[in-house]
Amino acid sequence: MGVEAHATNERVTGRRWTVRLDPVGRGRADVRVSCSRPACTAQVLPSAAAGRTAAIAHLKAHLRAGPAPRPSVHCACRAEECHTHIRPAGPRERPVPWRCGGAVVLAVITDREGRWWQVLECCSRCAAAHPTAKVVAAAQAAEAPPRGDGFRADAPARATPGGPAATTPAFSAVGPHFSHSAAATGTAATGTAVPQQASGPRTSAPRSARPTRKRPPRGRIAQRLVPHDLRPVALRDELTELGELFRAYQARTEPDLAVLADLHARKAEAFHAWAEVTADTGLRLDAQRAEQAAATARLQHLHRIGQAPDGEGPAVARLLTAPAQWNHARAVLAHVAENAPLPGAEARLLVLMVTLRTAQSGVGNLVGQDIKGLPLRDPEQLVGQLVESGWLGIPGTVEELIASRPESPTRISVPSLTPDEDDPGPFTFGRKLRPKLSGWAQRVVGEKKLRKGKTEADVRLLALALATGADGEGRLGPAGEGIGLDGLSSWCSVDPAGLPDLVDRLSAADWLAEADVTDTLLTGRLTERVLPLGCPLT
């Protein structure tokens, strides 16, 4: 009987399951959606977007159909001793066990890339410790166990040994009452009994309610909770207000970069003060990131309104507007220079344009006009060489690719750019930036005067290099000191002795002004006409 009681009171581990989104194979666009629950079968979807939609719908269906969280289970993540349950209390202290607490909840945890979603039945403290957790349901508080019969108002009196049961009255609703008054106790100071009043039983006056101290509501900013006891109070109020302002800004229908820049500047100042109070390195790093975000938002705002950063004239309306975008453009050029599978300027130019079409997922669309618009002497042969080398994959023949039209593009793939679990790929920019970079390169390569002048691939490669190698005023090199000839000749796939001719052709196309080629450097500046295509050095 004792064993059965012990088994009945044993707490079970909370539920846990995972929905995953995985690629079907290298070079393929379709994905597989799988669920760790035994009754669920995997699905294959044609694209990552469709797979992500199906995975989220599958997860929501489980959450709607499944039971609510149970109030008496152990945390699901506790079974595997995750970093939340066993973690150091300080930088030089030994790990201490994590103490669970709060109501049991159903929390959904996901990775930042949107490749898996995990549902945990755990306590609210463990859910709060995960930075990406979202609570979807909480268990009701467990009811308190009933008191023993000796403390119940309606419990029968115990029988006295050798006699009838005592007639002890039940406790009143207000409980026992004590008083210093002799009339209240029914006994005088001399010890004689004082008869009770016949008007009925006396009831005690209700006790005055104990004043409760109300804490101010806890604020939240940047996934951090603002402590109740944070001092000075002005700093606590500033952090709480900033969190509310950021959430209000996210709810706006139209962005206002000036307002966003001011919010980031206030956040940087507040986080610096918070870091000084708590000596938290993470807060100091967050403050530095907020300063960078404020500077970027302010620069973007000035570009949008057509004002120079120094406020002394109109700014250049650049095709790529942010320093991060300029750095990504330079990263793509550097990657192509190091990993081009074929030699020559024409091959490098084609590899660059295909790389920008497939940079994010290793697959993309290409039509014949994209290739015919490049200055290539024999595009079919060049595409065939890329296919034979294994760098480029196409579903049909090279002739079909060259003949494809915009209404029926050809799906191409570059295996070296296809990400997987072990290799996320060479680039870190997102899906929205890839078409911007591709459009920027297409504008530079197909610029009107370069196209009318029938310039070759090496001249257009030099134009790309100079567009990413000038400062904000168009001067070549850092601080206008010039660009090394060795790097330019390697990028353009020409001998250094052939660079002066390329420079002359760019000057004739009104790309360069004041150009001067020495033994080691090319100095000069981009003309005002092509400054919008530049990616300034920062």
Side-chain angles (χ1 to χ4, degrees):
M1 185 67 179
V3 175
E4 293 179 358
H6 176 74
T8 303
N9 294 330
E10 183 180 358
R11 297 178 68 186
V12 298
T13 303
R15 292 166 292 163
R16 173 181 185 162
W17 70 89
T18 305
V19 178
R20 292 188 59 85
L21 184 66
D22 299 301
V24 174
R26 293 182 63 89
R28 298 178 57 177
D30 46 350
V31 295
R32 178 184 294 106
V33 178
S34 59
C35 180
S36 62
R37 301 187 71 161
C40 300
T41 58
Q43 307 176 56
V44 176
L45 282 303
S47 65
R52 190 170 291 107
T53 302
I56 295 175
H58 184 88
L59 184 71
K60 290 182 177 179
H62 275 314
L63 294 174
R64 286 194 298 265
R70 299 162 292 180
S72 59
V73 298
H74 279 300
C75 285
C77 54
R78 187 176 186 180
E80 297 186 2
E81 295 185 352
C82 66
H83 72 283
T84 302
H85 283 90
I86 303 295
R87 66 178 184 180
R92 296 186 178 180
E93 299 181 19
R94 298 179 61 186
V96 296
W98 173 264
R99 295 183 179 179
C100 297
V104 177
V105 299
L106 270 183
V108 178
I109 301 172
T110 182
D111 68 333
R112 298 186 184 277
E113 289 78 18
R115 295 176 297 185
W116 54 262
W117 297 261
Q118 189 175 81
V119 180
L120 293 176
E121 192 175 23
C122 60
C123 71
S124 56
R125 288 191 64 189
C126 290
H130 288 277
T132 62
K134 292 186 178 180
V135 175
V136 297
Q140 296 182 355
E143 296 182 357
R147 293 187 173 184
D149 292 342
F151 295 93
R152 292 171 54 187
D154 57 347
R158 294 183 180 180
T160 57
T167 58
T168 304
F171 292 132
S172 64
V174 296
H177 174 71
F178 300 94
S179 173
H180 64 281
S181 171
T185 59
T187 307
T190 58
T192 59
V194 178
Q196 297 289 337
Q197 298 289 335
S199 59
R202 293 178 58 90
T203 58
S204 61
R207 294 186 179 183
S208 59
R210 185 176 182 180
T212 58
R213 182 180 179 182
K214 293 184 178 180
R215 290 183 175 181
R218 298 187 70 177
R220 179 183 290 272
I221 179 173
Q223 304 300 322
R224 293 178 179 268
L225 288 174
V226 181
H228 290 301
D229 55 352
L230 181 62
R231 295 295 182 273
V233 177
L235 174 60
R236 183 195 67 193
D237 296 341
E238 171 71 2
L239 291 169
T240 303
E241 181 182 358
L242 277 175
E244 296 174 353
L245 291 176
F246 269 107
R247 287 186 287 274
Y249 181 85
Q250 293 173 354
R252 294 170 61 108
T253 57
E254 294 292 335
D256 190 335
L257 295 178
V259 174
L260 182 61
D262 292 340
L263 288 178
H264 279 301
R266 287 178 59 183
K267 176 184 174 182
E269 183 178 356
F271 270 54
H272 273 303
W274 196 2
E276 291 296 328
V277 172
T278 60
D280 189 340
T281 304
L283 290 172
R284 190 171 290 107
L285 294 176
D286 284 345
Q288 295 174 1
R289 284 188 284 267
E291 290 177 348
Q292 297 173 357
T296 301
R298 190 169 289 110
L299 181 61
Q300 291 176 346
H301 171 67
L302 294 176
H303 285 163
R304 285 194 174 188
I305 64 176
Q307 182 178 348
D310 55 5
E312 296 181 357
V316 177
R318 302 187 187 275
L319 193 61
L320 298 179
T321 58
Q325 298 176 2
W326 307 335
N327 294 332
H328 286 309
R330 282 185 278 268
V332 173
L333 299 188
H335 173 81
V336 172
E338 296 175 0
N339 299 277
L342 298 177
E346 293 186 358
R348 180 160 299 180
L349 182 60
L350 178 58
V351 168
L352 172 64
M353 304 310 291
V354 173
T355 297
L356 287 171
R357 289 296 181 94
T358 59
Q360 188 63 36
S361 60
V363 295
N365 293 327
L366 202 65
V367 298
Q369 186 58 38
D370 296 331
I371 301 175
K372 295 176 183 178
L374 299 177
L376 308 177
R377 287 170 293 185
D378 192 347
E380 292 186 8
Q381 180 184 3
L382 190 56
V383 173
Q385 291 176 351
L386 290 177
V387 174
E388 291 175 0
S389 67
W391 185 84
L392 176 64
I394 58 177
T397 64
V398 176
E399 291 76 11
E400 292 174 347
L401 171 61
I402 299 297
S404 61
R405 299 180 60 82
E407 57 268 18
S408 58
T410 301
R411 192 72 168 173
I412 63 172
S413 63
V414 179
S416 61
L417 299 179
T418 303
D420 53 30
E421 294 183 356
D422 300 327
D423 183 11
F427 307 119
T428 58
F429 50 82
R431 291 178 296 175
K432 294 183 179 180
L433 181 56
R434 187 208 60 76
K436 291 184 179 180
L437 294 177
S438 180
W440 163 80
Q442 193 71 39
R443 287 281 297 275
V444 175
V445 172
E447 196 272 325
K448 182 177 180 180
K449 291 196 174 182
L450 294 181
R451 188 176 67 254
K452 286 190 173 183
K454 298 182 179 180
T455 55
E456 292 80 6
D458 49 8
V459 179
R460 305 196 190 194
L461 287 175
L462 180 60
L464 282 166
L466 300 185
T468 58
D471 62 11
E473 299 177 2
R475 299 176 301 174
L476 299 183
E481 297 177 356
I483 304 177
L485 296 185
D486 293 338
L488 290 177
S489 63
S490 175
W491 165 248
C492 298
S493 296
V494 298
D495 188 83
L499 274 179
D501 180 60
L502 304 185
V503 171
D504 291 341
R505 300 203 64 178
L506 278 183
S507 299
D510 195 22
W511 262 78
L512 279 177
E514 305 171 7
D516 183 24
V517 181
T518 65
D519 293 337
T520 58
L521 291 175
L522 167 62
T523 58
R525 63 177 179 83
L526 299 177
T527 61
E528 296 288 336
R529 186 180 66 85
V530 298
L531 280 182
L533 300 177
C535 298
L537 298 169
T538 54

PDB file of all heavy atoms in Angstrom, residues 75 133 177 273 322:
ATOM      1  N   CYS A  75      10.081  20.378 -14.863  1.00  0.00           N
ATOM      2  CA  CYS A  75      10.442  21.049 -16.105  1.00  0.00           C
ATOM      3  C   CYS A  75      10.930  20.017 -17.118  1.00  0.00           C
ATOM      4  O   CYS A  75      11.721  19.136 -16.795  1.00  0.00           O
ATOM      5  CB  CYS A  75      11.541  22.079 -15.873  1.00  0.00           C
ATOM      6  SG  CYS A  75      10.949  23.573 -15.059  1.00  0.00           S
ATOM      7  N   ALA A 133      12.030  32.384 -25.737  1.00  0.00           N
ATOM      8  CA  ALA A 133      10.815  31.663 -25.318  1.00  0.00           C
ATOM      9  C   ALA A 133       9.598  32.582 -25.343  1.00  0.00           C
ATOM     10  O   ALA A 133       9.668  33.750 -24.982  1.00  0.00           O
ATOM     11  CB  ALA A 133      11.009  31.090 -23.923  1.00  0.00           C
ATOM     12  N   HIS A 177     -11.904  34.833  19.388  1.00  0.00           N
ATOM     13  CA  HIS A 177     -11.749  36.256  19.691  1.00  0.00           C
ATOM     14  C   HIS A 177     -11.177  36.396  21.097  1.00  0.00           C
ATOM     15  O   HIS A 177     -11.604  35.719  22.011  1.00  0.00           O
ATOM     16  CB  HIS A 177     -13.105  36.973  19.609  1.00  0.00           C
ATOM     17  CG  HIS A 177     -13.049  38.398  20.040  1.00  0.00           C
ATOM     18  ND1 HIS A 177     -12.434  39.365  19.292  1.00  0.00           N
ATOM     19  CD2 HIS A 177     -13.527  39.000  21.148  1.00  0.00           C
ATOM     20  CE1 HIS A 177     -12.534  40.518  19.914  1.00  0.00           C
ATOM     21  NE2 HIS A 177     -13.193  40.322  21.050  1.00  0.00           N
ATOM     22  N   ALA A 273      24.572  54.062 -17.945  1.00  0.00           N
ATOM     23  CA  ALA A 273      24.353  54.317 -16.521  1.00  0.00           C
ATOM     24  C   ALA A 273      23.986  53.028 -15.789  1.00  0.00           C
ATOM     25  O   ALA A 273      24.435  52.788 -14.654  1.00  0.00           O
ATOM     26  CB  ALA A 273      23.245  55.362 -16.347  1.00  0.00           C
ATOM     27  N   ALA A 322      23.370  52.353 -46.464  1.00  0.00           N
ATOM     28  CA  ALA A 322      23.893  52.152 -45.115  1.00  0.00           C
ATOM     29  C   ALA A 322      25.317  51.599 -45.160  1.00  0.00           C
ATOM     30  O   ALA A 322      25.669  50.862 -46.087  1.00  0.00           O
ATOM     31  CB  ALA A 322      22.994  51.199 -44.326  1.00  0.00           C
TER      32      ALA A 322
END
